[in-house]
Amino acid sequence: MGGEKETFDTSDLNASLPAAAAALSAEDRAGLVNALKDKLQSLAGQHADVLETLSPNVRKRVEFLREIQSQHDEIEAKFFEERAALEAKYQKLYEPLYTKRYGIVNGEVEVDGVCDEPASENTVEGKEPDAKGVPDFWLTAMKTNEVLSEEIQERDEAALKYLKDIKWSRIEDPKGFKLDFFFDTNPFFKNSVLTKTYHMVDEDDPILEKAIGTEIEWYPGKNLTQKILKKKPKKGSKNTKPITKTEDCESFFNFFNPPQVPEDDDDIDEDTADELQSQMEHDYDIGTTIRDKIIPHAVSWFTGEAVQGEDFGELGDDDEDDDDEDDDEDDEDEEEDDDEEEDDEEESKPARKSGSGRRHKVHDLKFTG
């Protein structure tokens, strides 16, 4: 039985369930149970050799267990359907609240009790007087989150101050979800909306197929994902002008240029595949953090209250972190010299963090052929 479990692949089965991400149509519901049974029968034929190794009595018990499993899968399909319908219902209930939040944050709607006082009485040190709405709302909320704060560079903040709203929605063909970042007119890029889309093979045990980001239309000299290096010409050189070189650099806006899986995975070796897997996991981690934490609880992240909840929930992880630190102490001295030598090289590399040190758990991802 252990061997069968290892080779039994349910990803195709899950991917074939229309109910996994959205409410089923009447036609889908009618054919769902038959599709499940056909799939199970097909898989059963592939693994008939396992049953043949069992004694008659044990085989009968296993056959009975398979029937129980089939009944379970029928119930599970209904669960997926009802869950999707429930999510859709509550998403509609959230939407008016998000609309109110948008109006207040961007100064389009005023809150009762806010007085029109003279600027001198209404000025807080370090803040602009009589600012509309809630300045830097989304920037502050994202910077407060541990996962996102690692992505936002100081040079990104000026552009993220123009962020007016973030929304997410499910997509059906192919399955997945997308994030929309709405920006006010700004001096950095022309786009008013930057979109990140995740295509999933299966959303219930997330199998990421690929991610797609908007191509940002940067104004000349404003590309935050690149830096311009200037070097003085060598002594005696006829060219007296500084030599300029453009290199990729760390930036939150790299989020819209996600790592891509080659069409022919035979072209990459195991180490490259592992690195790509790590990059995709981290990219997916950022996307789900924005979707599941920042968008629904933006105010709590803005005020910092959400951090307290995160820290409280992670107290149990500290012991494990301490153990890891103790194990690493012996290696630190040996690695310090190597790290110093690599610093200069790392500064010039494109920033793609693996996220291996984050505490936020990510579902396992699998590449599809």
Side-chain angles (χ1 to χ4, degrees):
M1 294 298 291
E4 181 179 358
K5 182 177 181 181
E6 291 178 2
T7 58
F8 191 91
D9 182 7
T10 61
S11 61
D12 290 339
L13 174 59
N14 289 331
S16 69
L17 296 179
L24 293 173
S25 66
E27 183 179 353
D28 288 330
R29 279 196 298 270
L32 180 60
V33 174
N34 289 333
L36 279 169
K37 289 183 177 179
D38 290 343
K39 186 66 180 182
L40 289 172
Q41 289 172 359
S42 174
L43 290 171
Q46 296 175 19
H47 299 276
D49 55 333
V50 176
L51 294 178
E52 291 175 0
T53 63
L54 304 176
S55 66
N57 287 337
V58 174
R59 186 185 306 179
K60 288 181 180 179
R61 294 181 191 122
V62 172
E63 292 288 359
F64 191 85
L65 290 175
R66 290 175 65 199
E67 179 59 31
I68 293 176
Q69 182 66 56
S70 178
Q71 295 173 17
H72 169 277
D73 291 342
E74 292 180 20
I75 296 174
E76 186 179 43
K78 294 179 181 178
F79 161 71
F80 286 147
E81 179 183 359
E82 292 182 13
R83 185 183 68 177
L86 193 63
E87 288 178 350
K89 170 187 174 181
Y90 278 90
Q91 198 64 29
K92 290 181 180 179
L93 295 177
Y94 295 146
E95 195 57 40
L97 303 180
Y98 294 154
T99 300
K100 289 181 181 179
R101 181 177 68 187
Y102 174 89
I104 294 171
V105 165
N106 293 286
E108 296 180 1
V109 176
E110 192 52 276
V111 176
D112 292 341
V114 174
C115 304
D116 230 354
E117 298 179 359
S120 59
E121 299 178 15
N122 208 23
T123 302
V124 179
E125 186 176 353
K127 298 291 183 181
E128 295 183 5
D130 297 327
K132 291 185 177 180
V134 183
D136 306 340
F137 178 79
W138 289 103
L139 169 60
T140 303
M142 291 196 295
K143 282 180 62 179
T144 306
N145 180 273
E146 182 181 9
V147 173
L148 300 182
S149 64
E150 294 180 358
E151 306 303 313
I152 299 173
Q153 308 302 310
E154 185 175 352
R155 62 205 305 265
D156 295 327
E157 295 185 16
L160 290 173
K161 288 176 181 287
Y162 291 91
L163 183 55
K164 300 170 65 177
D165 200 10
I166 310 176
K167 294 184 178 181
W168 82 274
S169 58
R170 291 192 182 279
I171 57 175
E172 294 304 316
D173 188 17
K175 300 293 185 183
F177 69 95
K178 71 171 183 172
L179 299 166
D180 290 316
F181 297 73
F182 297 86
F183 284 85
D184 205 346
T185 303
N186 65 81
F188 295 92
F189 47 81
K190 297 179 182 179
N191 313 67
S192 59
V193 182
L194 298 181
T195 300
K196 180 67 172 286
T197 305
Y198 290 93
H199 292 174
M200 313 299 295
V201 177
D202 178 20
E203 288 185 300
D204 298 290
D205 179 18
I207 302 177
L208 177 64
E209 181 179 11
K210 63 179 177 179
I212 302 172
T214 296
E215 182 177 351
I216 303 177
E217 301 179 64
W218 297 101
Y219 289 117
K222 297 293 186 178
N223 190 336
L224 297 173
T225 66
Q226 296 180 343
K227 60 181 178 181
I228 299 176
L229 304 178
K230 293 185 178 180
K231 295 183 179 180
K232 294 181 180 180
K234 295 181 179 180
K235 291 183 179 181
S237 174
K238 294 181 180 180
N239 185 12
T240 58
K241 294 182 179 180
I243 301 173
T244 60
K245 182 180 179 181
T246 301
E247 292 185 349
D248 294 338
C249 64
E250 295 187 2
S251 171
F252 170 79
F253 292 94
N254 285 321
F255 178 62
F256 298 97
N257 184 26
Q260 298 297 318
V261 180
E263 291 185 4
D264 187 358
D265 54 12
D266 293 334
D267 294 340
I268 57 177
D269 56 33
E270 185 176 351
D271 291 340
T272 303
D274 288 344
E275 176 62 23
L276 182 58
Q277 172 79 0
S278 178
Q279 292 174 356
M280 293 184 69
E281 286 181 356
H282 185 56
D283 179 74
Y284 182 76
D285 190 29
I286 297 171
T288 53
T289 295
I290 294 172
R291 181 193 68 181
D292 300 335
K293 295 188 175 184
I294 302 300
I295 292 177
H297 306 292
V299 178
S300 296
W301 287 105
F302 178 84
T303 62
E305 295 167 293
V307 177
Q308 299 174 14
E310 289 269 298
D311 291 342
F312 180 79
E314 291 169 354
L315 287 178
D317 296 336
D318 291 341
D319 293 337
E320 295 180 6
D321 293 341
D322 292 341
D323 291 339
D324 293 339
E325 290 173 5
D326 292 339
D327 294 337
D328 293 337
E329 281 179 359
D330 295 337
D331 299 331
E332 286 180 356
D333 293 338
E334 297 177 5
E335 294 176 352
E336 280 181 358
D337 293 339
D338 293 338
D339 290 341
E340 290 175 2
E341 293 175 2
E342 293 174 356
D343 281 346
D344 293 339
E345 296 179 7
E346 289 299 320
E347 287 179 0
S348 64
K349 290 181 180 179
R352 284 297 183 192
K353 300 181 182 180
S354 66
S356 58
R358 68 187 183 280
R359 293 179 180 176
H360 183 75
K361 185 179 185 298
V362 192
H363 291 286
D364 290 335
L365 305 180
K366 302 173 184 175
F367 292 131
T368 59

PDB file of all heavy atoms in Angstrom, residues 278-293:
ATOM      1  N   SER A 278      12.834  27.779  -6.190  1.00  0.00           N
ATOM      2  CA  SER A 278      12.898  28.644  -5.020  1.00  0.00           C
ATOM      3  C   SER A 278      12.401  30.042  -5.353  1.00  0.00           C
ATOM      4  O   SER A 278      11.656  30.660  -4.581  1.00  0.00           O
ATOM      5  CB  SER A 278      14.337  28.700  -4.497  1.00  0.00           C
ATOM      6  OG  SER A 278      14.441  29.567  -3.394  1.00  0.00           O
ATOM      7  N   GLN A 279      12.776  30.557  -6.514  1.00  0.00           N
ATOM      8  CA  GLN A 279      12.340  31.886  -6.937  1.00  0.00           C
ATOM      9  C   GLN A 279      10.827  31.932  -7.130  1.00  0.00           C
ATOM     10  O   GLN A 279      10.162  32.890  -6.732  1.00  0.00           O
ATOM     11  CB  GLN A 279      13.047  32.281  -8.229  1.00  0.00           C
ATOM     12  CG  GLN A 279      14.533  32.518  -8.075  1.00  0.00           C
ATOM     13  CD  GLN A 279      15.222  32.767  -9.404  1.00  0.00           C
ATOM     14  OE1 GLN A 279      14.598  32.685 -10.470  1.00  0.00           O
ATOM     15  NE2 GLN A 279      16.510  33.065  -9.355  1.00  0.00           N
ATOM     16  N   MET A 280      10.288  30.865  -7.731  1.00  0.00           N
ATOM     17  CA  MET A 280       8.851  30.824  -7.970  1.00  0.00           C
ATOM     18  C   MET A 280       8.071  30.701  -6.665  1.00  0.00           C
ATOM     19  O   MET A 280       6.998  31.297  -6.507  1.00  0.00           O
ATOM     20  CB  MET A 280       8.499  29.672  -8.914  1.00  0.00           C
ATOM     21  CG  MET A 280       9.020  29.859 -10.327  1.00  0.00           C
ATOM     22  SD  MET A 280       8.482  28.546 -11.445  1.00  0.00           S
ATOM     23  CE  MET A 280       6.719  28.892 -11.561  1.00  0.00           C
ATOM     24  N   GLU A 281       8.616  29.936  -5.724  1.00  0.00           N
ATOM     25  CA  GLU A 281       7.966  29.821  -4.416  1.00  0.00           C
ATOM     26  C   GLU A 281       7.924  31.179  -3.723  1.00  0.00           C
ATOM     27  O   GLU A 281       6.912  31.566  -3.143  1.00  0.00           O
ATOM     28  CB  GLU A 281       8.710  28.811  -3.550  1.00  0.00           C
ATOM     29  CG  GLU A 281       8.493  27.362  -3.945  1.00  0.00           C
ATOM     30  CD  GLU A 281       9.233  26.403  -3.025  1.00  0.00           C
ATOM     31  OE1 GLU A 281       9.972  26.890  -2.135  1.00  0.00           O
ATOM     32  OE2 GLU A 281       9.085  25.190  -3.190  1.00  0.00           O
ATOM     33  N   HIS A 282       9.038  31.890  -3.793  1.00  0.00           N
ATOM     34  CA  HIS A 282       9.095  33.194  -3.144  1.00  0.00           C
ATOM     35  C   HIS A 282       8.158  34.184  -3.823  1.00  0.00           C
ATOM     36  O   HIS A 282       7.465  34.967  -3.158  1.00  0.00           O
ATOM     37  CB  HIS A 282      10.531  33.727  -3.170  1.00  0.00           C
ATOM     38  CG  HIS A 282      10.716  35.006  -2.414  1.00  0.00           C
ATOM     39  ND1 HIS A 282      10.387  35.138  -1.081  1.00  0.00           N
ATOM     40  CD2 HIS A 282      11.185  36.208  -2.799  1.00  0.00           C
ATOM     41  CE1 HIS A 282      10.644  36.372  -0.679  1.00  0.00           C
ATOM     42  NE2 HIS A 282      11.125  37.045  -1.713  1.00  0.00           N
ATOM     43  N   ASP A 283       8.106  34.139  -5.137  1.00  0.00           N
ATOM     44  CA  ASP A 283       7.207  35.016  -5.886  1.00  0.00           C
ATOM     45  C   ASP A 283       5.753  34.727  -5.520  1.00  0.00           C
ATOM     46  O   ASP A 283       4.950  35.643  -5.312  1.00  0.00           O
ATOM     47  CB  ASP A 283       7.432  34.817  -7.384  1.00  0.00           C
ATOM     48  CG  ASP A 283       6.517  35.678  -8.230  1.00  0.00           C
ATOM     49  OD1 ASP A 283       6.760  36.896  -8.305  1.00  0.00           O
ATOM     50  OD2 ASP A 283       5.550  35.141  -8.807  1.00  0.00           O
ATOM     51  N   TYR A 284       5.421  33.431  -5.439  1.00  0.00           N
ATOM     52  CA  TYR A 284       4.059  33.038  -5.058  1.00  0.00           C
ATOM     53  C   TYR A 284       3.751  33.458  -3.621  1.00  0.00           C
ATOM     54  O   TYR A 284       2.639  33.865  -3.303  1.00  0.00           O
ATOM     55  CB  TYR A 284       3.913  31.525  -5.220  1.00  0.00           C
ATOM     56  CG  TYR A 284       2.535  30.989  -4.896  1.00  0.00           C
ATOM     57  CD1 TYR A 284       1.484  31.149  -5.794  1.00  0.00           C
ATOM     58  CD2 TYR A 284       2.288  30.314  -3.703  1.00  0.00           C
ATOM     59  CE1 TYR A 284       0.217  30.655  -5.507  1.00  0.00           C
ATOM     60  CE2 TYR A 284       1.028  29.819  -3.408  1.00  0.00           C
ATOM     61  CZ  TYR A 284       0.003  29.984  -4.309  1.00  0.00           C
ATOM     62  OH  TYR A 284      -1.249  29.507  -4.012  1.00  0.00           O
ATOM     63  N   ASP A 285       4.744  33.387  -2.769  1.00  0.00           N
ATOM     64  CA  ASP A 285       4.606  33.799  -1.369  1.00  0.00           C
ATOM     65  C   ASP A 285       4.237  35.277  -1.278  1.00  0.00           C
ATOM     66  O   ASP A 285       3.355  35.675  -0.509  1.00  0.00           O
ATOM     67  CB  ASP A 285       5.917  33.525  -0.629  1.00  0.00           C
ATOM     68  CG  ASP A 285       5.793  33.704   0.873  1.00  0.00           C
ATOM     69  OD1 ASP A 285       4.689  33.501   1.406  1.00  0.00           O
ATOM     70  OD2 ASP A 285       6.802  34.036   1.514  1.00  0.00           O
ATOM     71  N   ILE A 286       4.898  36.093  -2.077  1.00  0.00           N
ATOM     72  CA  ILE A 286       4.603  37.531  -2.091  1.00  0.00           C
ATOM     73  C   ILE A 286       3.165  37.759  -2.554  1.00  0.00           C
ATOM     74  O   ILE A 286       2.413  38.525  -1.956  1.00  0.00           O
ATOM     75  CB  ILE A 286       5.586  38.272  -3.009  1.00  0.00           C
ATOM     76  CG1 ILE A 286       7.016  38.152  -2.481  1.00  0.00           C
ATOM     77  CG2 ILE A 286       5.203  39.751  -3.123  1.00  0.00           C
ATOM     78  CD1 ILE A 286       8.062  38.661  -3.450  1.00  0.00           C
ATOM     79  N   GLY A 287       2.785  37.081  -3.639  1.00  0.00           N
ATOM     80  CA  GLY A 287       1.439  37.266  -4.179  1.00  0.00           C
ATOM     81  C   GLY A 287       0.351  36.870  -3.205  1.00  0.00           C
ATOM     82  O   GLY A 287      -0.640  37.594  -3.030  1.00  0.00           O
ATOM     83  N   THR A 288       0.504  35.719  -2.547  1.00  0.00           N
ATOM     84  CA  THR A 288      -0.525  35.274  -1.604  1.00  0.00           C
ATOM     85  C   THR A 288      -0.514  36.115  -0.322  1.00  0.00           C
ATOM     86  O   THR A 288      -1.557  36.272   0.315  1.00  0.00           O
ATOM     87  CB  THR A 288      -0.340  33.788  -1.246  1.00  0.00           C
ATOM     88  OG1 THR A 288       1.004  33.563  -0.787  1.00  0.00           O
ATOM     89  CG2 THR A 288      -0.618  32.912  -2.454  1.00  0.00           C
ATOM     90  N   THR A 289       0.642  36.651   0.042  1.00  0.00           N
ATOM     91  CA  THR A 289       0.692  37.554   1.202  1.00  0.00           C
ATOM     92  C   THR A 289      -0.126  38.805   0.932  1.00  0.00           C
ATOM     93  O   THR A 289      -0.897  39.266   1.781  1.00  0.00           O
ATOM     94  CB  THR A 289       2.152  37.938   1.526  1.00  0.00           C
ATOM     95  OG1 THR A 289       2.862  36.773   1.944  1.00  0.00           O
ATOM     96  CG2 THR A 289       2.205  38.969   2.645  1.00  0.00           C
ATOM     97  N   ILE A 290       0.021  39.357  -0.252  1.00  0.00           N
ATOM     98  CA  ILE A 290      -0.760  40.544  -0.622  1.00  0.00           C
ATOM     99  C   ILE A 290      -2.240  40.204  -0.695  1.00  0.00           C
ATOM    100  O   ILE A 290      -3.097  40.954  -0.203  1.00  0.00           O
ATOM    101  CB  ILE A 290      -0.260  41.110  -1.964  1.00  0.00           C
ATOM    102  CG1 ILE A 290       1.170  41.640  -1.802  1.00  0.00           C
ATOM    103  CG2 ILE A 290      -1.188  42.222  -2.464  1.00  0.00           C
ATOM    104  CD1 ILE A 290       1.833  42.035  -3.102  1.00  0.00           C
ATOM    105  N   ARG A 291      -2.555  39.060  -1.292  1.00  0.00           N
ATOM    106  CA  ARG A 291      -3.958  38.659  -1.460  1.00  0.00           C
ATOM    107  C   ARG A 291      -4.639  38.339  -0.140  1.00  0.00           C
ATOM    108  O   ARG A 291      -5.761  38.799   0.120  1.00  0.00           O
ATOM    109  CB  ARG A 291      -4.031  37.442  -2.387  1.00  0.00           C
ATOM    110  CG  ARG A 291      -5.444  36.939  -2.655  1.00  0.00           C
ATOM    111  CD  ARG A 291      -5.428  35.574  -3.315  1.00  0.00           C
ATOM    112  NE  ARG A 291      -4.935  34.533  -2.400  1.00  0.00           N
ATOM    113  CZ  ARG A 291      -4.809  33.252  -2.743  1.00  0.00           C
ATOM    114  NH1 ARG A 291      -5.100  32.853  -3.977  1.00  0.00           N
ATOM    115  NH2 ARG A 291      -4.355  32.368  -1.855  1.00  0.00           N
ATOM    116  N   ASP A 292      -3.976  37.537   0.704  1.00  0.00           N
ATOM    117  CA  ASP A 292      -4.627  36.989   1.891  1.00  0.00           C
ATOM    118  C   ASP A 292      -4.432  37.829   3.148  1.00  0.00           C
ATOM    119  O   ASP A 292      -5.208  37.691   4.103  1.00  0.00           O
ATOM    120  CB  ASP A 292      -4.110  35.571   2.169  1.00  0.00           C
ATOM    121  CG  ASP A 292      -4.392  34.620   1.012  1.00  0.00           C
ATOM    122  OD1 ASP A 292      -5.349  34.879   0.253  1.00  0.00           O
ATOM    123  OD2 ASP A 292      -3.650  33.631   0.859  1.00  0.00           O
ATOM    124  N   LYS A 293      -3.410  38.675   3.158  1.00  0.00           N
ATOM    125  CA  LYS A 293      -3.117  39.445   4.375  1.00  0.00           C
ATOM    126  C   LYS A 293      -3.276  40.944   4.180  1.00  0.00           C
ATOM    127  O   LYS A 293      -4.000  41.600   4.923  1.00  0.00           O
ATOM    128  CB  LYS A 293      -1.703  39.121   4.866  1.00  0.00           C
ATOM    129  CG  LYS A 293      -1.532  37.687   5.321  1.00  0.00           C
ATOM    130  CD  LYS A 293      -0.179  37.456   5.973  1.00  0.00           C
ATOM    131  CE  LYS A 293      -0.076  36.040   6.523  1.00  0.00           C
ATOM    132  NZ  LYS A 293       1.200  35.813   7.248  1.00  0.00           N
TER     133      LYS A 293
END
